[in-house]
Amino acid sequence: MSVTPVKSPCIKVCVIDGPTGWCLGCARTLKEISQWTKYTDQQRDAVIDESEARLETLREMGKLG
């Protein structure tokens, strides 16, 4: 039996930025990270889309290299 892995934006850089509450690796919140495997594919896609914008915000804030 083949198991399909759950799609995730995680890049194994797990550091939460205090002011934003976003992970500096994937830009998800702690709630999103903890609930990730319970989300539907559509919910995960929505968070991934939002995290891309969050990562850009973090770059603009000078929090990412």
Side-chain angles (χ1 to χ4, degrees), residues 3-50:
V3 176
T4 303
V6 173
K7 179 172 38 172
S8 172
C10 181
I11 61 167
K12 309 289 191 258
V13 175
C14 304
V15 178
I16 300 298
D17 175 62
T20 63
W22 301 333
C23 174
L24 295 177
C26 65
R28 292 180 294 170
T29 64
L30 285 174
K31 181 180 178 184
E32 291 165 345
I33 292 166
S34 69
Q35 297 296 309
W36 194 251
T37 58
K38 297 175 183 170
Y39 285 175
T40 65
D41 287 342
Q42 292 79 16
Q43 288 172 309
R44 285 191 287 269
D45 288 342
V47 172
I48 288 170
D49 289 344
E50 190 170 338

Side-chain angles (χ1 to χ4, degrees), residues 46-64:
V47 172
I48 288 170
D49 289 344
E50 190 170 338
S51 70
E52 291 169 3
R54 292 175 186 169
L55 285 169
E56 185 57 36
T57 299
L58 289 169
R59 278 187 208 91
E60 290 169 1
M61 294 170 77
K63 297 187 180 228
L64 301 179

